[in-house]
Amino acid sequence: MGSCVYVAVRPAGGEARRIGQNLIQALAEPMVGRAGLSRDDTGRPRVEGLAVSVSYSEHQVAVAVGYDGPLGIDLEEVRPREFRALAQRWFGQRELDWMAEQPDELTGFLQLWTAKEAVGKALGTGLNDGGLQREMPLGGGPVEAAPGLAVTYLSCPNAVLALAAPADVTIEYMSIDHGNCPPGVTGA
């Protein structure tokens, strides 16, 4: 069994960036002492000695921190939106078929989209270099295009939350100010 990745989600309010920084520091400090938070050339958060990822939505912030990387996290709120044209453009036929079979097609779309975003963050490429066309595991699991990496979906109210992390990590998940998220789950 690998090491542990700590994930936290919190309402964003009007200060999402500050809340994200505070969450990263709160998770990182027990692991490395005083956590010096900086940004790399692309603007991604960085804490020396740790893998870190952050995602912002309109109402929530999600962060992931662990000793072992790569790590990527993405959060999308479930709200009405046009998604079929995006899916047709960027998803493979297998992904489109799976999405259409889901009880809620929008949630299926968001699962695939957040997985693509999370994997892109973990690989350090974002959605560039074919990231949107990279096929994702249906319903989570090992990422064929990125050996050793797995996607795990974490339950969160009114949102789809995907974590891309080494396949053998344990995930400790906490939702601050959300009483109905699970206190902990085990990775893929």
Side-chain angles (χ1 to χ4, degrees):
M1 179 61 85
S3 67
C4 195
V5 172
Y6 298 92
V7 175
V9 177
R10 176 156 183 219
E15 303 176 18
R17 294 244 181 246
R18 184 186 60 78
I19 290 168
Q21 291 171 350
N22 290 345
L23 277 175
I24 291 169
Q25 289 180 318
L27 294 177
E29 285 184 1
M31 300 170 77
V32 294
R34 183 154 170 77
L37 180 61
S38 62
R39 300 235 176 241
D40 69 12
D41 311 358
T42 65
R44 295 183 324 174
R46 193 171 168 282
V47 174
E48 190 65 40
L50 297 176
V52 177
S53 186
V54 64
S55 181
Y56 305 97
S57 70
E58 184 178 351
H59 297 104
Q60 299 179 83
V61 177
V63 301
V65 176
Y67 289 113
D68 297 325
L71 284 182
I73 195 163
D74 194 57
L75 173 75
E76 287 286 339
E77 293 177 14
V78 178
R79 59 172 174 70
R81 63 181 85 189
E82 176 47 48
F83 62 91
R84 287 179 185 86
L86 280 173
Q88 287 294 322
R89 179 172 180 184
W90 297 112
F91 291 1
Q93 191 59 51
R94 188 169 159 260
E95 292 171 320
L96 290 169
D97 292 345
W98 178 85
M99 183 182 84
E101 294 169 0
Q102 299 310 298
D104 180 354
E105 195 174 1
L106 171 61
T107 299
F109 167 80
L110 291 174
Q111 285 182 336
L112 291 169
W113 190 267
T114 57
K116 289 175 187 283
E117 288 265 14
V119 169
K121 288 178 180 182
L123 296 176
T125 61
L127 295 176
N128 296 326
D129 300 325
L132 279 170
Q133 294 173 325
R134 185 181 299 118
E135 191 167 303
M136 291 295 105
L138 306 177
V143 180
E144 195 173 305
L149 203 60
V151 171
T152 301
Y153 295 102
L154 303 170
S155 174
C156 199
N158 306 313
V160 173
L161 177 61
L163 174 70
D168 61 349
V169 299
T170 298
I171 301 166
E172 288 295 327
Y173 177 43
M174 64 201 81
S175 178
I176 301 167
D177 298 338
H178 284 303
N180 51 350
C181 279
V185 297
T186 302

